[in-house]
């Protein structure tokens, strides 16, 4: 009887231990959820905390940031990115007026400088350059900048306060080319749209914009010594309620993964 009793006690102890394992797991469930909701261990793919981030980005980043956003959300479960694309001057005005947002990315450093009191230290994440966009097949045989001075051509440019407009004026003035645009658009994608729809014969856009519509427009290269290089600074917004997550996204844009997406879209290395 003593042996039987000992065996029963041993069996009871094993059963009790087995029952305590799931109970312990249940009791730590809250901590696991807190870890998932907050920061995960350093070096993991989802090291940034969960957040819903609003990113104000230059219009020329429309296509590539949609790709980048999907990649970032996949690598950082629980983070959602909402993009607002517009001309840099519009984005700067929104920040100045206190519109709620977490990250700002402009197409030039001068625009970013206007809100330096409202942002963190910016980092250049990419560069770009201008090309002449024409209708598919280049029906008017536009070969160089001076061809844009032909009064028979309907040329459209970005407005002077828009980075693409500033760059356009810079390179045209440098070459002594006088252009009378039929319209001046609020952002570079609007310029591209005019050419795509046949409402303009030619326009100055970024190389990446022309590439995004390669089936509808042709791109005429502009030599380096006649061109301008656009720089894209990215910065967190100081009033962001998701400061840590915003900083993580800005840092990711300069990471190998972020840079590959930008460069695959035709942007130059920063």
């Amino acid at each position: 009887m003593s042996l039987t009793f000992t065996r029963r006690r041993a069996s009871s102890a094993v059963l009790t231990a087995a029952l305590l394992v799931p109970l312990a797991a249940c009791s730590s469930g809250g901590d696991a959820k807190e870890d998932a909701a907050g920061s995960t261990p350093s070096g993991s793919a989802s090291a940034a905390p969960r957040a819903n981030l609003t990113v104000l980005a230059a219009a020329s980043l429309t296509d590539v940031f949609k790709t980048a956003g999907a990649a970032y959300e996949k690598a950082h479960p629980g983070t959602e990115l909402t993009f607002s694309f517009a001309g840099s001057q519009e984005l700067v005005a929104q920040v100045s007026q206190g519109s709620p947002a977490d990250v700002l990315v402009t197409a030039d450093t001068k625009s970013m400088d206007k809100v330096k009191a409202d942002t963190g230290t910016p980092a250049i994440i990419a560069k770009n350059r201008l090309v002449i966009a024409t209708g598919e097949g280049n029906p008017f045989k536009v070969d160089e900048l001076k061809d844009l001075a032909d009064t028979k051509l309907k040329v459209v440019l970005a407005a002077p306060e828009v980075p693409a407009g500033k760059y356009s004026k810079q390179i045209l003035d440098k070459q002594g080319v006088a252009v009378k645009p039929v319209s001046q658009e609020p952002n570079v994608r609007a310029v591209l749209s005019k050419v795509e729809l046949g409402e303009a014969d030619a326009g100055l856009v970024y190389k990446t914009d022309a590439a995004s519509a390669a089936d509808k427009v042709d791109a005429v290269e502009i030599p380096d010594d006649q061109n301008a290089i656009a720089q894209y600074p990215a910065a967190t917004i100081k009033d962001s309620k998701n400061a840590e997550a915003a900083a993580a996204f800005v840092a990711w844009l300069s990471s190998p993964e972020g840079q590959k997406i930008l460069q695959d879209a035709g942007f130059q290395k920063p």
Side-chain angles (χ1 to χ4, degrees):
M1 289 183 65
S2 175
L3 179 59
T4 301
F5 179 71
T6 301
R7 286 177 177 171
R8 284 179 179 173
R9 288 186 61 185
S11 298
S12 177
V14 171
L15 179 60
T16 300
L19 289 172
L20 286 175
V21 171
L23 287 174
C26 290
S27 67
S28 62
D31 293 337
K33 290 180 180 178
E34 286 178 9
D35 289 343
S39 298
T40 55
S42 177
S44 70
S46 55
R50 291 184 177 185
N52 294 326
L53 296 178
T54 297
V55 180
L56 307 179
S60 51
L61 294 166
T62 299
D63 297 298
V64 70
F65 263 22
K66 289 178 180 177
T67 301
Y72 189 80
E73 290 178 346
K74 183 177 180 180
H76 300 80
T79 294
E80 294 184 8
L81 299 173
T82 299
F83 295 101
S84 177
F85 299 104
S88 296
Q89 79 288 353
E90 294 181 37
L91 303 177
V92 165
Q94 290 178 39
V95 173
S96 297
Q97 293 164 8
S99 297
D102 304 289
V103 174
L104 172 66
V105 189
T106 62
D108 68 334
T109 56
K110 289 184 178 179
S111 293
M112 183 67 76
D113 287 344
K114 292 179 180 178
V115 287
K116 60 183 179 181
D118 302 302
T119 64
T121 302
I124 304 298
I125 61 163
K127 292 182 179 180
N128 214 338
R129 55 187 296 167
L130 294 175
V131 297
I132 303 170
T134 71
E136 187 178 8
N138 193 2
F140 294 94
K141 307 303 178 186
V142 176
D143 296 319
E144 54 187 330
L145 285 172
K146 69 178 184 180
D147 292 338
L148 299 179
D150 188 342
T151 55
K152 295 178 182 178
L153 278 182
K154 292 186 291 183
V155 179
V156 63
L157 301 174
E161 62 270 18
V162 182
K166 294 175 184 176
Y167 295 131
S168 297
K169 185 178 186 305
Q170 176 184 327
I171 67 174
L172 291 170
D173 288 350
K174 182 179 179 181
Q175 298 304 311
V177 179
V179 176
K180 293 183 178 180
V182 294
S183 69
Q184 294 181 312
E185 301 300 317
N187 61 67
V188 71
R189 294 312 285 255
V191 174
L192 180 67
S193 179
K194 290 277 188 178
V195 178
E196 282 184 283
L197 296 172
E199 296 176 9
D201 302 321
L204 288 173
V205 302
Y206 296 118
K207 185 175 183 178
T208 53
D209 292 307
S212 73
D215 58 335
K216 297 179 181 178
V217 304
D218 280 10
V220 178
E221 295 283 343
I222 300 171
D224 287 345
D225 61 349
Q226 299 177 19
N227 216 326
I229 301 299
Q231 298 189 80
Y232 291 75
T236 57
I237 296 175
K238 288 182 179 178
D239 286 342
S240 168
K241 296 180 179 179
N242 305 291
E244 188 178 350
F249 176 67
V250 170
W252 180 86
L253 291 171
S254 294
S255 72
E257 183 180 5
Q259 285 296 296
K260 184 179 186 305
I261 292 171
L262 286 162
Q263 289 161 33
D264 284 349
F267 287 86
Q268 297 173 236
K269 292 181 180 180

